[in-house]
């Protein structure tokens, strides 16, 4: 961040980490206590989702009592108040429900070119949000698409993505 | 027990790097105190609505206690972009329950304490963190764009229809001295601005804003005791919550949460949900993105499903049309300081109903009722509030 640099420079010249707002010309103290956030997110109870994805399969949980399929997978069924869920494999094909192209990306995604995010309704009925591979101008809502699992280009981990079905 | 707004205040919105967090809060508080003709000791409880993280101070109620010498009980409330209306709802309930007679609600945000990319990063996380943000990098415009694309496809809406919402809201923003953008724009300007998240361009998006807004609420007894006659009453509020993941929503044409919240608010107010615009003088709706305003027309019953786009095409939401919407510039031009937005909408309801809006944007008040529609996240929190000149 430029203002961090300006702040540090001004400690020497002015005696404080300050900068001037370029629009208003007003004096700002530049906070020196920069914070980095990276969370530990527990996936213990949905570990089969990741283990199967590694094997190229897309699985999720279904409640054996009411039959509801949960995606994202859930440990508990709030309909039946039970936690003994079964894992099922999801069909890979579905229909494109909507999409966008993210041009202005968060800094943590700056390494990627603008990407297409889409939501697909799988034939099983559940909907999935993921990146869509391919030219966004060549797809439209209602098109048939399928889910593929690949390693992420930059981070290298497995992830599911949406690809148009040819023909 | 009826609850009234007895005073309101509003800071200038925009880049407010000319003041710190407490000074920005005081700007709207001072106006509200003056207008209500009350002082700190009259306040029984106060609520600070602020989403935060992009700004330095976290314990803002205490900051206010110190800076403004306000030592009543307090709390901070967060409901993403609906924080302001959630705070008003909590204040209303405190008075309804009889626990408090006078409650101060402060909506506040100082987003420009952080650089824009950091703010973009933080707001992108107001969905399902893991299943949407972590792996797919959705941004706030992108979430709404998923709805906009579906809407365009279903109802043959065009990018220029969205652009016309920006044109209207900038037109009214140009008449609001508190707005971040006090300049009219042309449709060409809107359509030629760069893409942020297709189909949204820069002028489809509300800006990153600093600002504060304040209302002071009081019980009916206190209104009598203070001898006030220029008050605005909170008639009703409806609220609903939507799923974190957009993929769990039934469709992308409507916010179920907003539709149900409006039905709740109409029912409590005794307003016909079929044609509510016949009972309202105007509305402030949550136009964080232009298409969201069009969807709000439908979720609120101002237009039938799929016909919201006709309202903007026919200029029915300008003053003189079916129902004036966002004649303060809306989030689009007035600015969207997240925690302050719902309170700013209440301030606008107060000013409009009392005939105190600025020249060129005052609506002719016939029914004495104004609606605010305040959405947190992308339909995650929905609050619809109806204000009126006569108590229910
Ligand atoms: Zn079940």
């Amino acid at each position: 961040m430029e203002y961090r640099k300006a702040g540090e420079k001004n400690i020497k010249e002015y005696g404080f980490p300050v900068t001037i707002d370029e629009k208003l010309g007003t004096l700002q103290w530049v906070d020196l206590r920069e914070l980095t956030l990276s969370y530990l997110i527990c996936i213990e109870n949905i570990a089969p989702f990741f283990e199967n994805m590694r094997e190229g399969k897309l699985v999720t949980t279904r409640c054996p009592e009411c039959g509801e399929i949960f995606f994202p997978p859930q440990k508990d069924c709030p309909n039946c108040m039970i936690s003994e869920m079964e894992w099922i494999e999801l069909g890979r094909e579905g229909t494109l429900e909507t999409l966008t192209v993210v041009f202005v990306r968060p800094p943590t995604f700056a390494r990627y070119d603008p990407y297409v995010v889409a939501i697909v309704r799988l034939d099983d009925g559940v909907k999935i949000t993921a990146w869509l591979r391919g030219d966004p101008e060549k797809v439209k809502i209602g098109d048939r698409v399928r889910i593929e699992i690949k390693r992420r280009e930059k981070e290298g981990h497995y992830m599911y993505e949406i690809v148009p079905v040819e023909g | 027990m009826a609850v009234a707004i007895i005073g309101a205040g509003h800071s200038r919105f925009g880049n407010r790097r000319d003041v710190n967090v407490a000074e920005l809060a005081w700007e709207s508080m001072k106006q509200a105190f003056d207008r209500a003709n009350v002082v700190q000791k009259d306040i029984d409880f106060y609520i600070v609505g602020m989403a935060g993280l992009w700004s330095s101070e976290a314990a803002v109620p205490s900051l206010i206690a110190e800076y403004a010498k306000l030592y009543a009980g307090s709390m901070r409330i967060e409901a993403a972009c609906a924080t302001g209306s959630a705070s008003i709802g909590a204040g209303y309930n405190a008075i309804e329950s009889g626990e408090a007679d006078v409650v101060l609600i402060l909506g506040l945000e100082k987003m420009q304490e952080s650089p824009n990319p950091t703010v973009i990063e933080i707001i992108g996380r107001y969905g399902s963190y893991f299943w949407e943000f972590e792996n797919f990098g959705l941004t706030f415009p992108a979430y709404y764009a998923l709805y906009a694309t579906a809407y365009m496809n279903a109802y043959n809406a065009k990018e220029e229809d969205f652009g016309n919402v920006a044109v209207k809201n900038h037109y009214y923003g140009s008449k609001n001295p508190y707005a971040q953008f006090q300049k009219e724009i042309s449709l060409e300007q809107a359509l030629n601005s760069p893409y942020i998240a297709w189909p949204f361009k820069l002028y489809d998006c509300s800006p990153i804003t600093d600002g504060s807004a304040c209302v002071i609420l009081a019980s009916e007894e206190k209104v009598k005791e203070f001898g006030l006659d220029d008050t605005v009453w909170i008639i009703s509020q409806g609220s609903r919550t939507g799923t974190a993941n957009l993929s769990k929503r039934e469709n992308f044409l409507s916010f179920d949460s907003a539709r149900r919240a409006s039905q709740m608010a109409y029912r409590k107010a005794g307003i016909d949900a079929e044609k509510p615009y016949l009972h309202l003088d105007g509305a402030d709706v949550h136009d964080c993105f232009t298409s969201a305003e069009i969807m709000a027309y439908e979720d609120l019953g101002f237009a039938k499903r799929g016909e919201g786009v006709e309202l903007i095409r026919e200029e029915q939401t300008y003053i003189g049309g079916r129902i004036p919407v966002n004649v303060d510039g809306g989030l689009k031009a007035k600015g969207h300081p997240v925690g302050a937005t719902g309170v700013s909408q209440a301030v606008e309801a107060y000013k409009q109903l009392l005939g105190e809006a600025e020249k060129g944007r005052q609506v002719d008040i016939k029914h004495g009722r104004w609606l605010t529609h305040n959405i947190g996240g992308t339909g995650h929190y929905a609050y619809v509030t109806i204000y009126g000149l006569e108590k229910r």
Side-chain angles (χ1 to χ4, degrees):
Chain A
M1 275 175 270
E2 325 97 63
Y3 66 67
R4 271 299 292 270
K5 271 191 216 124
E8 276 159 23
K9 185 167 143 265
N10 281 332
I11 293 177
K12 292 193 194 87
E13 291 176 11
Y14 185 83
F16 297 104
V18 293
T19 188
I20 303 283
D21 182 68
E22 48 185 49
K23 290 213 179 93
L24 303 179
T26 50
L27 190 64
Q28 315 292 314
W29 178 282
V30 181
D31 174 21
L32 300 176
R33 314 301 163 205
E34 199 171 330
L35 176 69
T36 306
L37 288 173
S38 167
Y39 307 112
L40 282 174
I41 299 166
C42 177
I43 55 166
E44 172 67 18
N45 301 304
I46 53 166
F49 178 77
F50 299 93
E51 288 155 5
N52 279 278
M53 201 185 345
R54 204 171 49 207
E55 307 302 321
K57 284 190 217 146
L58 191 68
V59 301
T60 197
T61 55
R62 179 173 63 192
C63 172
E65 297 252 326
C66 66
E68 181 166 343
I69 302 173
F70 293 92
F71 189 89
Q74 287 193 194
K75 173 176 172 281
D76 309 292
C77 177
N79 303 322
C80 309
M81 304 286 175
I82 61 166
S83 303
E84 293 73 37
M85 306 285 273
E86 56 191 20
W87 285 90
I88 58 158
E89 188 170 355
L90 287 168
R92 299 294 270 275
E93 292 211 0
T95 309
L96 190 65
E97 288 237 330
T98 189
L99 75 160
T100 180
V101 187
V102 183
F103 287 96
V104 176
R105 284 100 66 207
T108 54
F109 282 85
R111 296 191 285 165
Y112 284 95
D113 289 332
Y115 41 84
V116 184
V117 182
I119 301 180
V120 172
R121 184 190 290 270
L122 294 181
D123 297 336
D124 297 313
V126 298
K127 290 203 274 278
I128 292 188
T129 303
W131 280 0
L132 181 138
R133 197 199 320 154
D135 184 351
E137 308 222 18
K138 292 199 176 125
V139 292
K140 56 183 193 310
I141 292 174
D143 281 0
R144 294 293 292 169
V145 289
R146 56 177 278 113
I147 304 286
E148 286 184 6
I149 292 161
K150 264 182 69 172
R151 279 186 187 264
R152 269 287 165 84
E153 191 189 319
K154 312 278 183 191
E155 294 91 350
H157 63 72
Y158 293 99
M159 194 40 61
Y160 46 96
E161 60 183 25
I162 299 163
V163 290
V165 172
E166 299 299 327
Chain B
M1 191 182 295
V3 177
I5 300 179
I6 61 167
H10 202 288
S11 81
R12 193 166 44 75
F13 281 6
N15 170 355
R16 296 305 314 273
R17 291 199 191 117
D18 54 329
V19 285
N20 69 22
V21 173
E23 293 160 353
L24 182 60
W26 181 250
E27 281 185 22
S28 64
M29 289 173 69
K30 167 76 166 57
Q31 290 175 25
F33 277 128
D34 286 350
R35 180 58 204 262
N37 198 23
V38 298
V39 293
Q40 286 87 335
K41 70 169 172 44
D42 297 312
I43 307 293
D44 298 321
F45 195 79
Y46 66 102
I47 298 171
V48 177
M50 190 181 100
L53 202 56
W54 31 61
S55 56
S56 53
E57 298 291 346
V60 178
S62 297
L63 185 74
I64 298 305
E66 180 179 313
Y67 195 85
K69 294 193 179 291
L70 187 56
Y71 306 113
S74 69
M75 64 163 85
R76 177 178 151 187
I77 284 183
E78 188 274 328
C81 319
T83 292
S85 293
S87 303
I88 290 171
Y92 174 89
N93 288 336
I95 294 172
E96 276 269 302
S97 73
E99 282 296 309
D101 280 315
V102 184
V103 177
L104 180 144
I105 312 291
L106 172 71
L108 175 68
E109 215 70 67
K110 205 156 186 296
M111 303 172 78
Q112 296 202 13
E113 279 197 359
S114 288
N116 284 2
T118 305
V119 176
I120 290 164
E121 179 88 31
I122 294 170
I123 316 191
R125 299 167 175 221
Y126 277 99
S128 163
Y129 185 87
F130 185 78
W131 300 92
E132 293 179 332
F133 182 79
E134 170 81 8
N135 290 309
F136 309 114
L138 276 151
T139 59
F140 193 33
Y143 289 115
Y144 267 92
L146 289 167
Y147 274 81
T149 309
Y151 187 94
M152 288 168 81
N153 179 69
Y155 302 126
N156 202 27
K158 305 286 180 215
E159 288 180 44
E160 66 181 65
D161 295 320
F162 300 159
N164 275 321
V165 174
V167 169
K168 172 178 72 72
N169 294 355
H170 275 263
Y171 171 75
Y172 287 114
S174 75
K175 300 177 184 309
N176 182 351
Y178 299 96
Q180 181 160 0
F181 301 128
Q182 299 176 27
K183 273 204 304 257
E184 291 187 45
I185 59 160
S186 66
L187 182 60
E188 290 64 41
Q189 256 174 296
L191 293 178
N192 291 330
S193 60
Y195 279 107
I196 303 293
W198 181 87
F200 292 147
K201 296 165 291 297
L202 183 65
Y203 277 109
D204 289 301
C205 307
S206 58
I208 292 168
T209 309
D210 302 331
S212 81
C214 182
V215 290
I216 297 174
L217 310 181
S219 63
E220 198 174 344
E221 280 87 282
K222 279 286 169 182
V223 170
K224 282 197 196 114
E225 190 187 313
F226 293 150
L228 301 170
D229 48 14
D230 55 345
T231 54
V232 163
W233 300 88
I234 299 176
I235 305 296
S236 67
Q237 186 176 71
S239 64
R240 296 284 291 192
T241 306
T243 60
N245 273 289
L246 299 194
S247 65
K248 296 286 241 182
R249 310 279 175 85
E250 202 52 48
N251 63 57
F252 305 104
L253 304 173
S254 161
F255 288 142
D256 189 57
S257 56
R259 209 164 37 79
R260 289 171 188 266
S262 73
Q263 286 163 356
M264 275 172 77
Y266 291 145
R267 192 171 59 245
K268 287 193 229 173
I271 287 178
D272 165 24
E274 288 299 307
K275 287 187 174 171
Y277 48 87
L278 297 177
H279 308 263
L280 298 165
D281 292 307
D284 272 70
V285 310
H286 201 89
D287 60 325
C288 47
F289 301 96
T290 48
S291 70
E293 176 166 321
I294 292 174
M295 205 165 71
Y297 297 161
E298 299 177 15
D299 288 342
L300 294 167
F302 299 168
K304 291 201 182 74
R305 189 64 52 210
E307 293 177 8
V309 67
E310 298 299 332
L311 287 193
I312 195 72
R313 282 176 189 160
E314 294 167 7
E315 303 192 346
Q316 292 287 352
T317 49
Y318 279 81
I319 293 174
R322 178 182 288 179
I323 180 164
V325 173
N326 290 337
V327 297
D328 56 357
L331 283 60
K332 177 69 210 68
K334 184 180 58 177
H336 181 25
V338 170
T341 286
V343 184
S344 167
Q345 291 180 328
V347 174
E348 173 67 1
Y350 178 87
K351 284 173 71 170
Q352 285 286 349
L353 289 169
L354 294 178
E356 296 175 5
E358 289 77 12
K359 197 163 166 283
R361 56 173 220 87
Q362 173 65 51
V363 169
D364 193 12
I365 300 298
K366 293 178 199 142
H367 311 291
R369 286 188 171 189
W370 197 270
L371 178 145
T372 69
H373 159 275
N374 190 195
I375 304 295
T378 312
H380 294 94
Y381 310 90
Y383 282 84
V384 174
T385 314
I386 296 167
Y387 299 91
L389 285 172
E390 300 289 331
K391 60 179 186 281
R392 174 153 56 102

